[in-house]
Amino acid sequence: MNFNARYIIIVLFVIVSLHYILSFSHEPYGRATSLSNIKSKILPQKSSSPSTPSSDSLENFPAHTPVYNETLSIDRRANATFVILARNTDIQGTVKSIREMEDRFNRRYRYPYVILNEVPFSEEFKSRISVLTSAKIEFGVIPKEHWFQPDTIDEAKAKAGRDKMVEKNIIYGGSVSYRNMCRFNSGFFFRHPLMEKYRWYWRIEPDVHFHCDILYDPFVFMEEKKKVYSFTITMYEYEATIPTLWGHVMDFAKLHPEFIAKDNSLGFMSTDNGHTYNLCHFWSNFEIADMEFWRGPAYTAFFEYLDKQGGFYYERWGDAPVHSIAAALFVPRDQIQFFDDIGYEHNPYTHCPKGKGAWERGKCSCDPLKSFDYDGYSCMSKWDRFIETT
């Protein structure tokens, strides 16, 4: 065979080879070229029929929703969920919070979300949220009896209390809806039908920030270490919003000494064995906790006792002091967890890990020097002293 003939055969071979390769990689517009696309041409594929998500459960997502291979290595999860209380107008803040939680933690674990509202969520809200995660999302409406001011409240007395707070420029002093929210978070969120199947919850607010990668499962940590309640920020309560709360707490404690834990945290909140309250509480917009505690006999009796006093409406009792006081009195101190390594921000306060090692491991975006922990309004130094001396 002469040189020209061999040259023509080589050229033809190259052209045929290029055509064969391009036949694999030439896909319709918008589809990425990948090894999986090539495999799909060679290996037989299982057929599947798409399912449409229901209006209340978005467990089944469109094909473009990412599926993270990291989850294949997670062999244990707790019976847990995130819970978010939001309104339709909170859509942008809710998107930000979930996106950060997914990026920092949940893309590897895919814990479900329960999102609650006093009215049905709009289709726009649900569609905007549903594309953020491959985890299950359920949208729920709060029962009216769990949200609105009960008929047992003397509205004239409640209004007089609100007006007095407005005169003093107390934040949310005139808001009934804020009081509804505090009462709901104190005594009802864990009773919602969508929450009943779970034991553990992580409370997330719209427009909060998670500043560090969370490289382990806090739910499993809480379960294995037999923790009940956890926090990242602790501070003083606004005394004008709870003038009679501590008196009612002590009255309840006298009525039910059987509920007081032997190694409790009363010393964190009072230096005179409960005679006075120093106003310290755990900031409840971040909570990871065991709902068996809230559903148990001690807290159930405690909340019902407080609810009968009417202070959620006659004053402005918040769920933060109510939860905190209950955990301090009814839970052994070693079952309350401070998560130093979880960087968290709810404007205007930020917790940033103190230890350089935790800050570096978590690839934290917060500034440790601007952490709220030892601000003058923080109770963290009191918690440190309490733990060190007990």
Side-chain angles (χ1 to χ4, degrees):
M1 185 180 295
N2 60 36
F3 175 81
N4 289 336
R6 286 199 300 272
Y7 179 79
I8 292 171
I9 290 172
I10 291 171
V11 171
L12 288 172
F13 178 79
V14 171
I15 292 172
V16 170
S17 298
L18 286 171
H19 176 76
Y20 186 74
I21 292 170
L22 288 171
S23 70
F24 280 109
S25 61
H26 183 66
E27 297 291 340
Y29 180 78
R31 288 183 62 182
T33 300
S34 65
L35 179 60
S36 61
N37 288 338
I38 295 174
K39 284 172 64 180
S40 69
K41 291 180 177 292
I42 301 173
L43 301 176
Q45 303 294 306
K46 293 181 181 180
S47 62
S48 61
S49 56
S51 57
T52 302
S54 68
S55 59
D56 290 323
S57 177
L58 294 171
E59 186 172 11
N60 304 306
F61 289 97
H64 64 264
T65 301
V67 177
Y68 299 95
N69 289 333
E70 296 100 312
T71 59
L72 298 177
S73 64
I74 306 301
D75 57 4
R76 182 184 171 191
R77 291 178 180 80
N79 178 22
T81 185
F82 300 104
V83 61
I84 303 175
L85 184 62
R87 289 176 167 166
N88 286 305
T89 53
D90 294 322
I91 185 169
Q92 202 57 39
T94 307
V95 166
K96 291 178 181 178
S97 296
I98 293 178
R99 185 65 268 162
E100 289 196 23
M101 175 54 71
E102 289 296 307
D103 290 344
R104 290 299 196 174
F105 170 71
N106 202 46
R107 64 188 175 88
R108 294 182 294 275
Y109 291 87
R110 282 196 257 173
Y111 278 106
Y113 292 82
V114 172
I115 309 180
L116 303 175
N117 191 353
E118 63 186 281
V119 299
F121 283 104
S122 67
E123 290 305 314
E124 179 193 4
F125 189 101
K126 290 189 283 189
S127 63
R128 288 276 305 278
I129 298 299
S130 69
V131 299
L132 300 175
T133 175
S134 55
K136 179 179 180 179
I137 303 179
E138 294 181 287
F139 299 94
V141 177
I142 298 168
K144 290 183 178 180
E145 62 272 20
H146 290 178
W147 184 260
F148 291 100
Q149 178 175 300
D151 294 337
T152 54
I153 295 297
D154 180 340
E155 171 54 18
K157 180 179 177 181
K159 185 177 184 306
R162 295 195 301 269
D163 291 345
K164 188 176 180 180
M165 288 192 181
V166 170
E167 290 175 5
K168 294 181 177 180
N169 294 316
I170 295 173
I171 187 170
Y172 304 119
S175 174
V176 176
S177 62
Y178 186 84
R179 289 168 169 81
N180 290 340
M181 179 193 70
C182 290
R183 180 173 177 264
F184 173 76
N185 281 328
S186 294
F188 296 101
F189 81 92
F190 49 88
R191 305 184 198 182
H192 192 281
L194 293 180
M195 296 292 289
E196 287 178 345
K197 56 182 171 289
Y198 299 109
R199 174 174 176 177
W200 301 90
Y201 74 95
W202 185 332
R203 178 172 161 182
I204 299 176
E205 296 281 312
D207 205 17
V208 297
H209 301 285
F210 297 93
H211 287 295
C212 306
D213 287 347
I214 302 167
L215 305 175
Y216 63 100
D217 187 337
F219 289 123
V220 171
F221 173 88
M222 295 279 288
E223 191 167 61
E224 289 183 342
K225 301 297 183 181
K226 301 187 186 306
K227 303 291 184 178
V228 171
Y229 187 85
S230 67
F231 69 98
T232 56
I233 292 174
T234 175
M235 63 174 62
Y236 295 101
E237 181 58 298
Y238 197 165
E239 187 172 11
T241 65
I242 56 164
T244 68
L245 175 60
W246 189 253
H248 291 303
V249 168
M250 289 296 101
D251 289 344
F252 178 84
K254 291 174 185 176
L255 289 172
H256 295 283
E258 71 275 16
F259 292 143
I260 308 302
K262 181 180 178 182
D263 298 315
N264 60 63
S265 300
L266 175 63
F268 167 58
M269 297 183 170
S270 176
T271 57
D272 52 14
N273 200 34
H275 182 68
T276 59
Y277 175 37
N278 64 14
L279 304 176
C280 286
H281 69 285
F282 309 120
W283 215 23
S284 62
N285 46 66
F286 173 100
E287 289 180 327
I288 304 174
D290 185 351
M291 286 186 283
E292 285 192 0
F293 172 61
W294 305 133
R295 295 164 180 156
Y299 188 78
T300 297
F302 180 67
F303 172 75
E304 289 178 353
Y305 181 86
L306 293 183
D307 201 30
K308 288 178 182 177
Q309 312 310 314
F312 290 105
Y313 293 96
Y314 299 141
E315 297 176 11
R316 207 217 67 189
W317 295 354
D319 54 275
V322 171
H323 279 190
S324 302
I325 292 168
L329 293 180
F330 310 142
V331 174
R333 63 183 65 122
D334 62 357
Q335 291 183 315
I336 298 177
Q337 174 67 25
F338 167 54
F339 277 118
D340 178 48
D341 53 350
I342 297 181
Y344 173 74
E345 177 182 348
H346 185 298
N347 188 51
Y349 304 118
T350 299
H351 164 70
C352 198
K354 294 189 294 291
K356 184 178 180 182
W359 185 84
E360 290 177 339
R361 283 193 304 274
K363 300 178 181 177
C364 299
S365 60
C366 52
D367 182 351
L369 297 177
K370 295 182 179 178
S371 183
F372 175 70
D373 289 358
Y374 299 104
D375 180 276
Y377 198 62
S378 171
C379 287
M380 197 66 223
S381 59
K382 284 184 170 56
W383 177 257
D384 288 343
R385 286 196 297 270
F386 171 71
I387 293 299
E388 289 169 1
T389 58
T390 55

